[in-house]
Amino acid sequence: MARISERLADLASGAFLTQAVVTRRTALSEHFVRVDLQSEKFRSASYTPGSKVQLRTDRGTMTMRTYTPFAWNAAEGTTSLVAYRHGTGPAARWIDRVAPGDPCDLMGPRRSLDLTSTAAQVVFIGDESSVGLAAALHEARPEGVTYVLEADVPAEYTEVLAGLGVTATVVPKNSHDLLTVPGSGVYDLVVTGDAATVGPIRRAARDWTPGPAKTLGKAYWAEGRTGLD
Ligand SMILES: Cc1cc2nc3c(=O)[nH]c(=O)nc-3n(C[C@H](O)[C@H](O)[C@H](O)COP(=O)(O)OP(=O)(O)OC[C@H]3O[C@@H](n4cnc5c(N)ncnc54)[C@H](O)[C@@H]3O)c2cc1C
């Protein structure tokens, strides 16, 4: 019999979270999985590119993990996520087992980084966890964005991004190449991903010439910490 705490978590989820259903799971590569979702609530939800959703990964708990929706279609009540599979955390396990027809309880979309009012030129820096944000920005802004990302397997990530329409330069992790990526003219900087990279880049960007007009930055994960948000 389910413990009281588990039943309470399920009751709270039913009352406070949006109920969606998984309509498709597509392995884009060894480490990246796309999950398509549908919910009647999405038809009236307020979505802006750069919003986040927080998924409940396990029944009987309120464990939540954060992802970036893109391909938002209010008329159909549909959206998509792309998850980078790493390790054995709750989201990694959810991504591995999820199948069409499965329920998906989530919170959001809620504001995270607002990509609607960026300058005409944008420098986008990130890592594998920035994949959804890159796709969302590409939809909102098909031109004028320079994508430079770091990854454990650059060739794999380059291909995944290309499949999402994003042409990117992907460099090996910790190569320090990201610290010297100034844009030109008037541009905004969007930087997300590993906390160990986001902070140093924000600091380095103060010395870039020209510097960014505006910086939108957020750490998406940090070594040894879980569910960073
Ligand atoms: C606003 C926001 C939007 C996000 N959007 C996306 C998205 O669209 N796609 C996506 O894939 N991720 C995205 N993330 C990152 C994702 O939420 C984290 O990677 C999350 O920790 C994954 O949960 P987990 O249960 O697999 O691992 P956790 O249980 O949270 O962590 C387990 C271990 O894995 C490590 N870890 C976590 N993430 C990574 C990583 N990316 N690389 C290497 N090690 C890691 C942790 O430090 C920890 O040691 C987003 C995060 C935020 C805050």
Side-chain angles (χ1 to χ4, degrees), residues 52 65-68 82-86 88-93 112 127-133 173 218-229:
K52 65 184 178 184
R65 290 292 184 268
T66 309
Y67 287 87
T68 308
V82 177
Y84 171 57
R85 287 171 54 230
H86 63 87
T88 55
R93 295 197 304 271
S112 180
D127 68 4
E128 295 97 335
S129 65
S130 313
V131 59
L133 192 71
K173 241 172 208 163
K218 190 166 175 60
Y220 278 4
W221 66 278
E223 190 60 53
R225 292 182 61 189
T226 60
L228 188 74
D229 193 18

Side-chain angles (χ1 to χ4, degrees), residues 143-179:
E143 306 286 339
V145 185
T146 303
Y147 295 90
V148 188
L149 298 112
E150 61 174 5
D152 274 336
V153 188
E156 177 192 6
Y157 195 25
T158 305
E159 215 167 290
V160 166
L161 288 163
L164 296 166
V166 177
T167 304
T169 301
V170 184
V171 300
K173 241 172 208 163
N174 304 319
S175 63
H176 298 289
D177 290 359
L178 298 181
L179 294 173

Side-chain angles (χ1 to χ4, degrees), residues 3-26:
R3 288 214 310 258
I4 285 182
S5 60
E6 293 172 359
R7 294 185 60 189
L8 281 175
D10 290 344
L11 279 172
S13 173
F16 298 116
L17 302 186
T18 293
Q19 277 73 51
V21 65
V22 174
T23 55
R24 188 185 300 182
R25 176 191 187 279
T26 312

Side-chain angles (χ1 to χ4, degrees), residues 80-139:
S80 299
L81 314 172
V82 177
Y84 171 57
R85 287 171 54 230
H86 63 87
T88 55
R93 295 197 304 271
W94 184 82
I95 294 296
D96 275 345
R97 71 172 181 265
V98 76
D102 283 356
C104 172
D105 299 337
L106 56 87
M107 196 181 289
R110 294 200 296 166
R111 289 247 165 153
S112 180
L113 296 179
D114 185 355
L115 300 178
T116 50
S117 58
T118 47
Q121 301 295 319
V122 175
V123 172
F124 182 103
I125 296 178
D127 68 4
E128 295 97 335
S129 65
S130 313
V131 59
L133 192 71
L137 181 57
H138 175 68
E139 287 171 351

